[in-house]
Amino acid sequence: MDNVMASLLKVTVLLLFTFAFFFVSIRYFLPVAYSDRSDPTHGPARYQILVLGDIGRSPRMQYHAISMGRYGGPVDLIGYSDSELHPDVLRSPSITVYPLPRIPQYLQTNNRLLFLLVAPVKVAMQILGLFLVLGYLTMPARALLVQNPPSIPTLLVAHLVCFLRGTRLVIDWHNFGYSVLALKLGSSHPLVFISRWYESFFSRNAAAHLVVSNAMASVLSRDFWTRAPVFTLHDRPASHFRPLSREKQLAFLGRLPETAGLIDAIEKHKMKVIVSSTSWTMDEDFSLLLDALVGYSKLAMTSHPQLPEIMVIITGKGPQQAHYLSKIANLESTDNLEMVTIKTAWLSTADYASLLASADIGISLHQSTSGVDLPMKVVDMFGAGLPVVGWGRFAAWPELVQDRVNGRSFGSAEELQIILVELLGDDVQQLENLRLGALKESRNGWDNEWDSVVGKLFGML
């Protein structure tokens, strides 16, 4: 009997020791939870912004950081650091950039079969990187603002970290991730259905949602059964996108390498400057623009000799760039673009803003995968007072562009060609009226929009 009691006592002590060790280990190794005194400075609450992408190519999330920083921060901006950041991000003492671990280049592919093979490995590496930075390398925050898409694995890791740290999760919807995946795999692919379920499930318990359009707010509330409030935060241009005087326009174009040798023709209105910004992805069909430019060039060489030459400057980087550069070179070598010159450029933030303010027309080829997202590039163009001609065959487009007021919309290469001929022909008043409409839009700045929506949501006002 004594031996039994002694054995039970030993087992009990061992179990107590095991449980004590387990709970101490859990407490020691889990991320530190947020409280009002998590920050040793006991200053303003800390906020975090997550971009599972290149921060430099995510202007909206950078604007969020800048706006938060205006109210004292501190702000952690987390993402891949590949491109130049906004100057105000670099200058702000309140903003700290935390780079995510890079995914090896050999796991980046546009091949459909290879994508299915390497995707699980890529996702696993992203999960580890995200959890490390969000859970351990950064201090606890009051709220985490997450860009979506990409939703996999961002929403899963964000939910886990927010649960462990007591942080409010706010999702900033730029589009729906499953619709972007459908562009790559096809809408009927099983992974697209899984992605839609995943996105809906892991977004349902967020504290709040921000969306880029009223149309997206309707879809999110109706189809995703969100419990939290949904706020529309329309994109607005940052302060560095602003109109320039004609004198400053010519001075800029005179020093820009792509236009410096043609400044006389531009100054005499014998050549017009068109700009298009792109990520060279599948949701932007540049063959539409190329076909329209070929048609324009033929008309200018034959029945419409009054049409000016066109200088087209395409800015940005992306996976399909080489493909389209090859097509452009072929069109030029076969004399199909005699009245058109096409240049590509990668510009600094300041020079990109100046280019938009100095061009005659901005082109948007964004074809919404969901029908309810909106291209940020159009907002930037309006900020610079640049009229826009864009693909307009999706539901949210009229929220951004008013046809024949601040821009024009097209649905085919033929329609784009007709619009270019109309706007660059003898009737200069059409283009001038659109420019006046764009200038009116340029007065709607980001700061006021952000303060009225996000500033109030986060209790900063």
Side-chain angles (χ1 to χ4, degrees):
M1 189 67 177
D2 290 339
N3 290 336
V4 173
M5 292 298 296
S7 298
L8 286 175
L9 181 61
K10 289 179 181 179
V11 171
T12 302
V13 171
L14 181 61
L15 288 174
L16 288 173
F17 178 79
T18 301
F19 278 116
F21 179 79
F22 175 77
F23 284 114
V24 169
S25 299
I26 288 291
R27 179 65 187 90
Y28 181 78
F29 289 111
L30 284 179
V32 177
Y34 173 80
S35 72
D36 290 337
R37 292 185 173 271
S38 293
D39 193 327
T41 63
H42 296 176
R46 178 177 297 272
Y47 293 90
Q48 293 179 331
I49 297 172
L50 173 61
V51 181
L52 189 59
D54 183 5
I55 300 173
R57 296 168 70 179
S58 301
R60 180 176 168 105
M61 305 311 285
Q62 292 188 82
Y63 298 165
H64 278 303
I66 295 166
S67 295
M68 291 177 183
R70 283 193 291 120
Y71 293 99
V75 181
D76 299 332
L77 183 55
I78 303 161
Y80 298 122
S81 186
D82 297 332
S83 305
E84 177 191 17
L85 299 180
H86 191 288
D88 289 348
V89 170
L90 299 174
R91 283 193 293 260
S92 175
S94 301
I95 301 173
T96 304
V97 177
Y98 288 87
L100 288 171
R102 289 297 313 166
I103 300 299
Q105 189 61 38
Y106 59 80
L107 293 179
Q108 311 290 341
T109 179
N110 289 315
N111 182 282
R112 182 171 173 174
L113 179 59
L114 288 177
F115 172 79
L116 295 174
L117 294 175
V118 303
V121 179
K122 180 179 176 181
V123 168
M125 295 181 68
Q126 288 174 331
I127 289 174
L128 291 174
L130 285 168
F131 193 73
L132 174 66
V133 175
L134 288 173
Y136 297 97
L137 299 185
T138 57
M139 295 179 63
R142 173 181 287 179
L144 171 62
L145 179 62
V146 177
Q147 174 184 301
N148 187 72
S151 56
I152 300 173
T154 318
L155 296 183
L156 169 64
V157 179
H159 258 87
L160 177 59
V161 172
C162 286
F163 172 76
L164 294 174
R165 306 197 93 168
T167 297
R168 294 176 65 201
L169 174 62
V170 179
I171 303 174
D172 189 13
W173 296 80
H174 298 195
N175 202 348
F176 296 122
Y178 76 87
S179 71
V180 177
L181 187 63
L183 192 65
K184 183 187 291 282
L185 300 179
S187 59
S188 60
H189 196 282
L191 285 181
V192 174
F193 290 100
I194 294 172
S195 175
R196 181 187 174 101
W197 172 86
Y198 166 95
E199 202 165 10
S200 174
F201 180 81
F202 283 104
S203 64
R204 206 166 297 167
N205 293 316
H209 303 271
L210 302 176
V211 293
V212 298
S213 71
N214 293 325
M216 182 177 288
S218 298
V219 173
L220 190 64
S221 299
R222 183 186 68 237
D223 296 346
F224 279 59
W225 304 289
T226 53
R227 298 167 183 156
V230 179
F231 302 94
T232 299
L233 177 69
H234 285 113
D235 284 320
R236 298 294 185 211
S239 57
H240 63 282
F241 289 103
R242 54 184 178 271
L244 296 178
S245 65
R246 183 60 178 169
E247 181 182 0
K248 290 183 178 180
Q249 289 176 345
L250 293 174
F252 170 75
L253 294 174
R255 69 174 176 82
L256 186 70
E258 288 76 16
T259 54
L262 304 167
I263 192 62
D264 288 341
I266 294 172
E267 187 172 4
K268 295 174 182 177
H269 301 286
K270 294 181 179 179
M271 174 176 282
K272 297 296 184 180
V273 178
I274 292 177
V275 62
S276 183
S277 173
T278 180
S279 297
W280 298 100
T281 50
M282 294 175 65
D283 62 348
E284 293 182 314
D285 184 0
F286 257 82
S287 63
L288 291 169
L289 177 58
L290 297 180
D291 290 346
L293 292 174
V294 168
Y296 177 96
S297 184
K298 288 179 179 178
L299 289 177
M301 293 291 293
T302 55
S303 59
H304 292 65
Q306 78 281 7
L307 290 174
E309 290 186 65
I310 295 178
M311 158 62 76
V312 180
I313 301 177
I314 305 172
T315 69
K317 296 178 181 179
Q320 292 194 313
Q321 184 175 10
H323 167 72
Y324 282 109
L325 289 181
S326 176
K327 291 189 69 172
I328 292 169
N330 182 62
L331 290 172
E332 290 174 336
S333 66
T334 54
D335 297 327
N336 281 299
L337 293 172
E338 291 185 83
M339 292 294 288
V340 178
T341 301
I342 300 177
K343 300 285 187 181
T344 59
W346 180 251
L347 304 175
S348 67
T349 300
D351 281 351
Y352 176 61
S354 296
L355 175 61
L356 295 188
S358 303
D360 296 289
I361 296 174
I363 299 289
S364 171
L365 297 168
H366 176 79
Q367 297 180 1
S368 172
T369 58
S370 64
V372 294
D373 70 307
L374 289 168
M376 185 85 180
K377 70 191 76 176
V378 174
V379 175
D380 296 338
M381 291 172 182
F382 282 158
L386 180 64
V388 174
V389 177
W391 176 271
R393 299 299 190 265
F394 56 97
W397 179 257
E399 289 187 42
L400 185 59
V401 177
Q402 296 173 274
D403 200 46
R404 299 184 182 273
V405 175
N406 51 26
R408 297 286 298 275
S409 64
F410 63 88
S412 66
E414 292 76 17
E415 290 181 13
L416 177 55
Q417 175 190 315
I418 292 171
I419 291 171
L420 292 177
V421 171
E422 287 180 4
L423 296 181
L424 300 180
D426 291 332
D427 186 6
V428 296
Q429 193 58 46
Q430 284 196 57
L431 184 57
E432 183 59 27
N433 288 341
L434 295 184
R435 183 174 293 279
L436 292 174
L439 286 169
K440 185 177 179 181
E441 288 293 325
S442 71
R443 303 186 190 108
N444 298 323
W446 167 267
D447 290 343
N448 290 337
E449 181 85 5
W450 193 90
D451 286 350
S452 65
V453 179
V454 188
K456 291 183 178 179
L457 173 64
F458 288 151
M460 294 181 173
L461 296 180

